[in-house]
Amino acid sequence: MNPDWIRKAAALPARQLHLAGAGLLLIAGAALWFYALRAPLTALRAVRAEQAQLAQAAGDPRLLAAQLAQLAADSRQLEKRLGAGPGNASAQTSAQTSAQAQVRLVGSLGALAREQGVTVHGVAPAPDEMALGFVRLGFDVDASGPYGALLAWMNAIERSQPNLSIAGFDMRTGTAPGQVAIRIRIAAYQTQENAP
């Protein structure tokens, strides 16, 4: 430490030295709380709350049975919305009918793009994936347009059919001013029985 500072600190009255020391302790305590203790204590509280919730659910079999019944009801309702289920004629569709449905889907995506002022440059099929008892058929679509139009188009896609969703996208600046280029993966979910 600088000897000049030591001399100046020694010349201060004891009361001011005590106040300065208390201030430094408060600053150090606040820094310790915000940077070292707060996050771990919050995480510990969250873990204990989740542990208590799991212990309560595991102890009551009626609660578990009610949750299973609700999941079964939700699954039946989802099958009805997607047009699947036992005895449904769509379960026996051929590969040709499935291909026609995919062509109609791509056509509807193009129509939605035109309505929103988006230009579609290309559509390519993506590999099928399994997701919780459903087959996810994917399409990679390259398009461009103004940012707001692209957002409206993605919203229109998800609202057009109950089994469509946006699985992912990658935006980058377009070649023209005010244009955004996008590569979007559109997923169409089907039950395993209806998959081509």
Side-chain angles (χ1 to χ4, degrees):
M1 217 171 158
N2 191 347
D4 190 38
W5 287 8
I6 294 173
R7 241 184 318 108
K8 285 181 182 179
L12 288 175
R15 182 176 180 192
Q16 287 181 350
L17 285 175
H18 291 287
L19 287 174
L24 286 174
L25 284 175
L26 285 174
I27 291 172
L32 180 67
W33 170 255
F34 284 110
Y35 295 113
L37 296 175
R38 184 175 167 196
L41 287 176
T42 303
L44 179 64
R45 274 191 233 117
V47 166
R48 286 190 177 159
E50 187 174 337
Q51 183 182 20
Q53 186 179 13
L54 288 173
Q56 180 185 8
D60 189 7
R62 291 175 290 158
L63 180 62
L64 185 58
Q67 288 175 345
L68 288 174
Q70 181 64 37
L71 286 174
D74 289 346
S75 297
R76 284 191 300 275
Q77 183 181 11
L78 188 58
E79 283 178 352
K80 287 178 186 175
R81 283 184 65 197
L82 294 176
N88 194 342
S90 64
Q92 290 87 22
T93 57
S94 66
Q96 181 182 10
T97 307
S98 176
Q100 290 173 352
Q102 290 177 2
V103 169
R104 280 194 304 273
L105 176 63
V106 170
S108 70
L109 294 176
L112 288 172
R114 284 189 300 278
E115 289 174 8
Q116 302 299 330
V118 172
T119 305
V120 175
H121 301 290
V123 178
D128 297 347
E129 297 175 354
M130 296 299 295
L132 295 175
F134 293 95
V135 176
R136 183 167 68 187
L137 307 172
F139 298 96
D140 290 329
V141 181
D142 291 317
S144 64
Y147 181 75
L150 289 171
L151 290 179
W153 178 53
M154 289 192 296
N155 188 24
I157 289 170
E158 287 194 329
R159 292 182 183 272
S160 67
Q161 295 180 24
N163 66 331
L164 289 183
S165 71
I166 306 299
F169 63 91
D170 178 34
M171 285 187 176
R172 58 198 174 283
T173 56
T175 55
Q179 296 287 309
V180 176
I182 189 170
R183 184 174 186 94
I184 182 173
R185 172 144 314 164
I186 300 169
Y189 291 90
Q190 295 181 346
T191 57
Q192 290 181 5
E193 299 87 28
N194 291 346

